[in-house]
Amino acid sequence: MFYHLTILMIIYSITCIGLNIVVGYTGFFSFARAAFFGIGAYTSALLVMSGVPFLIAIIAGGILAAIFGWILGLITVEMTGDYFALATFAFAEMTRQVFINWTGLTRGPLGLPGIPRPEIFGFRFSTNQAYLFLYIILLILVLLITEMYVKSPFGRLLKTIREDETAAQSLGKDIAKTKNIAIAMGAFFGGVGGALYAHYITYIDPSAFVLHITIFFLIIVIAGGMGNNYGTILGAVMLVLVRELPRYLGLSPAFAASLQQMVYSSILVILMLVRPRGLLGERKLLSEQSSEEGGK
Amino acid sequence: MDYYSQVILNSIITGGIYGLIAVGYSMIYSILRFVNFSHGFVAMMGMYFTYALSVQLQLPFFIAAAGGIVLTAFLGMIIERVAYRPLRFSFYLAPLVAVVGVAFFLESVALMVWGGGILSYDVKTTSFNISGLYITNVQIGILITLLLSVILLYYLIEKTTIGQAIRATADDIKMASLVGINSNRIVVIVFMLGSALAAVGGTFLGLETNLQPTIGLSVTAKSFAAVILGGFGNIYGGLVGGLVLGFAENLGVTVLPTVWKDFIAFGVLFIVIYFKPSGLLAKRQERGGRYR
């Protein structure tokens, strides 16, 4: 149980660090996470099942997700706020409909059973301990890359866009391209997270990539603190505990499922009332006032 | 030809239902510039309130539906009080996130109370055949109520003092407060009215199809699509958008396999957001609803 929960925390952390780049650092409310998660999961699972090595497959999953992220970014980059949220939501639902209806590739609602467990240079990660070890290394890798990225001038530009787009533009920065890269990079980690999920659970079907999972990821990012990668990890730890523990209380599965949903949706509302920027969220920045004014 | 007149009739009914839900949505949006993500879930609750009163408490259907609508209006009031009002001047994403929380909270409540299975109202339907056109008594009832609701809403918005205050607040909330309109009260009234309309639409959806707790999300998406199609800033835009959506959905099924129906619906939404973010009936161009 300990290993299972920790592995889930790591998978969700990796996915949500990607989401944090878009939501936390750039300030765009993306509802497309489940789509990238699903694209990564299906790509990697199908590749490994047709004989491609594990490491190449998860990277391919990430890259395909990033390509979709790039295209989505090209289309949505000029939209703001609610429109961006809605467009990404529509994209996610369309992707899910493809998972359901492209039965030749994904087997539709039947799902893909028997996805092989990871294997690197002939070593098969079959026990949960080995898994945990592998996934921790990957998490550290993702964290290092992302931290490097957000601390670079590029990361500062992202925050500037979030705080005041016009100001960033007046400094001669290419806003559209910057946002687009952020979305694609976020999508990449989403895809990798999805791939890791597929190889851990060993079974995926379209119902694993519904809007609820996107909301769950968003809560992780928001609860932990937008624009803070350690906050995201904290969020993943908390939310996995909230979501998975009712399963061990001996309730009926249907009741436990709606109880989980009830608990984390209440947490979301309460958190917004108490700490709208999350537990480890950034302090108020200069333009907070003006963005509030404009939002009305 | 008969086939197509049947499709047109069905389009008007589904489109009218979406439109009615969308009107509530665009009212809230026109005043607060805020996407009420929970709107479809509120419609779903209205649907189940009517179910609880009519099937579980055995009340006559009309009384049960009226009761359901009133209960849903109060639900709208509570949502405004709990999750919207305290956040009005908070971090700009906070209200949107909170309302998403409310939406899924409502869904979990419905799942707990009424279960995840498919339910239906206990209403007897008889089918009439008017020169080859099939219509049920329920559908006739829906059409009449739709028409009445629209007339009533028009009267309320255009002819009464409250309607005037609502229109003024929608034009400019600060200016409205300046001339002595209690904007908090108007926001509550709009939330209640919007939720009541959602409940009417939700009950109709329950009559036309069946009851399922998970319907909220697609209702939210479709009514938002209808609002965008019709155009923001115009309260009746949602009605037109809903009709367009109803026709698109029913006509789409005649040429394409039904399994891709939702894909097409969301595809249309995506395309509309991209090409015409201010809607088909928009008064003025407002690209992408900027925050600043």
Side-chain angles (χ1 to χ4, degrees), chain B residues 110-134:
Chain B
L111 278 168
M112 265 187 189
V113 178
W114 292 287
I118 293 172
L119 301 170
S120 61
Y121 294 129
D122 194 15
V123 174
K124 213 179 263 166
T125 48
T126 36
S127 196
F128 302 101
N129 183 347
I130 306 166
S131 62
L133 200 64
Y134 286 95

Side-chain angles (χ1 to χ4, degrees), chain A residues 27 80 82-83 212 261 294 296, chain B residues 88 92 101 104 107 232 277 288 291:
Chain A
T80 42
D82 307 339
Y83 286 85
H212 295 69
Q261 194 177 328
K296 291 287 97 60
Chain B
R88 241 172 100 182
Y92 74 100
F104 285 97
E107 190 178 282
F232 289 118
Y291 272 112

Side-chain angles (χ1 to χ4, degrees), chain A residues 4 7-15 34 36-42 44-45 54 58 112 115-118 131 135 138 189-210 213 216-217 240 243-244 247:
Chain A
H4 173 67
I7 288 168
L8 282 181
M9 286 168 195
I10 291 173
I11 293 171
Y12 293 149
S13 293
I14 290 175
T15 314
F36 300 135
F37 196 69
I39 290 169
Y42 271 107
S44 182
F54 169 74
I58 56 169
L112 286 177
I115 299 164
R117 298 218 143 188
Y131 252 89
Y135 282 20
L138 287 172
F189 290 129
V192 170
L196 296 179
Y197 174 82
H199 289 287
Y200 174 63
I201 303 289
T202 69
Y203 169 80
I204 50 172
D205 71 308
S207 74
F209 310 111
V210 290
I213 193 85
F216 182 68
F217 291 148
V240 167
R243 199 175 77 149
E244 301 295 318
R247 292 205 183 151

Side-chain angles (χ1 to χ4, degrees), chain B residues 88-120:
Chain B
R88 241 172 100 182
F89 300 106
S90 178
F91 180 49
Y92 74 100
L93 282 178
L96 182 59
V97 177
V99 167
V100 170
V102 168
F104 285 97
F105 184 82
L106 292 179
E107 190 178 282
S108 67
V109 169
L111 278 168
M112 265 187 189
V113 178
W114 292 287
I118 293 172
L119 301 170
S120 61

Side-chain angles (χ1 to χ4, degrees), chain B residues 24-265:
Chain B
Y25 209 135
S26 62
M27 279 170 81
I28 295 172
Y29 191 93
S30 68
I31 288 192
L32 302 169
R33 301 284 181 275
F34 151 70
V35 174
N36 183 8
F37 189 87
S38 68
H39 196 69
F41 295 80
V42 170
M44 177 272 294
M45 287 306 278
M47 181 189 240
Y48 274 99
F49 283 148
T50 306
Y51 175 82
L53 293 174
S54 77
V55 179
Q56 289 169 322
L57 292 180
Q58 296 288 317
L59 291 173
F61 188 79
F62 284 105
I63 296 169
I69 291 162
V70 172
L71 283 176
T72 318
F74 280 103
L75 180 68
M77 191 182 83
I78 293 167
I79 291 172
E80 197 269 343
R81 210 36 86 76
V82 172
Y84 186 72
R85 188 178 298 183
L87 293 172
R88 241 172 100 182
F89 300 106
S90 178
F91 180 49
Y92 74 100
L93 282 178
L96 182 59
V97 177
V99 167
V100 170
V102 168
F104 285 97
F105 184 82
L106 292 179
E107 190 178 282
S108 67
V109 169
L111 278 168
M112 265 187 189
V113 178
W114 292 287
I118 293 172
L119 301 170
S120 61
Y121 294 129
D122 194 15
V123 174
K124 213 179 263 166
T125 48
T126 36
S127 196
F128 302 101
N129 183 347
I130 306 166
S131 62
L133 200 64
Y134 286 95
I135 186 162
T136 63
N137 58 343
V138 173
Q139 286 177 322
I140 293 172
I142 289 176
L143 282 174
I144 293 170
T145 326
L146 272 176
L147 210 61
L148 281 178
S149 310
V150 173
I151 292 169
L152 207 67
L153 186 75
Y154 181 83
Y155 179 77
L156 190 76
I157 298 286
E158 304 292 337
K159 306 287 176 201
T160 62
T161 332
I162 287 183
Q164 217 169 18
I166 290 176
R167 278 182 291 141
T169 318
D171 265 354
D172 190 333
I173 193 160
K174 279 183 188 153
M175 206 52 101
S177 324
L178 215 58
V179 297
I181 294 167
N182 184 347
S183 61
N184 265 343
R185 217 186 88 207
I186 296 298
V187 171
V188 172
I189 289 173
V190 165
F191 258 88
M192 290 181 79
L193 205 59
S195 304
L197 289 172
V200 178
T203 304
F204 286 165
L205 271 185
L207 281 170
E208 268 292 277
T209 54
N210 42 46
L211 293 89
Q212 243 186 320
T214 47
I215 203 174
L217 181 62
S218 80
V219 176
T220 288
K222 280 173 185 164
S223 54
F224 192 81
V227 173
I228 294 180
L229 275 168
F232 289 118
N234 182 342
I235 289 174
Y236 310 103
L239 201 63
V240 179
L243 283 171
V244 173
L245 204 67
F247 273 94
E249 212 176 87
N250 283 289
L251 289 175
V253 173
T254 62
V255 271
L256 292 149
T258 7
V259 285
W260 291 99
K261 188 167 142 184
D262 277 355
F263 181 85
I264 293 159

